Amino acid sequence: MNQPLFSSNEPYENLMNAAETAFAEGQAKESVILAQTAVELFTEKTLGELYTQRDIEYLKAPFENLLINYNIGNSKVSKLYIALADDDIKQADFWAAFIAHTELRNALVHEAAEATIEQARASLESVSALIAHVRTHQASAVS
């Protein structure tokens, strides 16, 4: 019997798993694109949790109407996260690699570029590092 393709209750985890599978199968371009979609879903979820933690759910719609997406590499999104989480994520060791990942993803999607396996590996590592960082920060903020 086959395992379900998406076994997590978290869509971003399912997409990261799909990105890892694509990478393992040599599909570098697809793995980068899936990883970016995963991190955008993760960012949207995280911002929602932060509105609740700060007891400002009423600001969610007005703030998020100012955003064009949930790419935390985007200045508006990262500034909102930094303000809500009290976490200067741009100072993290992985930040430059993550920005390189977002630039690669944009080139893949908008410029028909290709990705190497090395680029895809770096992308997956930077996205995984960002997600782990935010999870750790959120866990310490809640406790």
Side-chain angles (χ1 to χ4, degrees):
M1 181 174 203
N2 291 338
Q3 281 192 298
L5 178 61
F6 300 122
S7 58
S8 173
N9 290 330
E10 294 292 346
Y12 77 89
E13 289 177 352
N14 288 325
L15 287 169
M16 277 305 292
N17 291 338
E20 296 281 352
T21 299
F23 176 79
E25 293 175 357
Q27 298 172 326
K29 182 175 187 173
E30 291 81 357
S31 70
V32 172
I33 294 167
L34 286 164
Q36 180 60 26
T37 305
V39 78
E40 290 191 31
L41 286 172
F42 176 75
T43 300
E44 182 177 13
K45 175 183 177 359
T46 299
L47 290 175
E49 291 169 353
L50 288 166
Y51 293 122
T52 301
Q53 288 170 11
R54 296 227 177 243
D55 199 27
I56 57 169
E57 296 95 336
Y58 62 94
L59 291 176
K60 181 179 180 181
F63 280 178
E64 294 188 0
N65 282 335
L66 300 173
L67 305 178
I68 59 170
N69 58 40
Y70 290 98
N71 174 7
I72 197 165
N74 173 287
S75 178
K76 287 182 182 180
V77 179
S78 62
K79 285 178 183 176
L80 180 59
Y81 169 78
I82 290 166
L84 292 174
D86 194 25
D87 173 21
D88 194 355
I89 197 166
K90 291 181 176 184
Q91 300 305 312
D93 291 341
F94 59 80
W95 189 255
F98 178 74
I99 294 303
H101 153 76
T102 63
E103 291 169 353
L104 174 61
R105 179 268 178 202
N106 288 342
L108 297 174
V109 171
H110 302 295
E111 299 167 21
E114 292 298 324
T116 66
I117 288 296
E118 293 78 23
Q119 288 172 312
R121 179 180 296 113
S123 282
L124 290 173
E125 289 171 358
S126 70
V127 170
S128 294
L130 184 143
I131 290 172
H133 170 90
V134 171
R135 282 178 166 169
T136 300
H137 183 79
Q138 288 301 96
S140 67
V142 172
S143 37

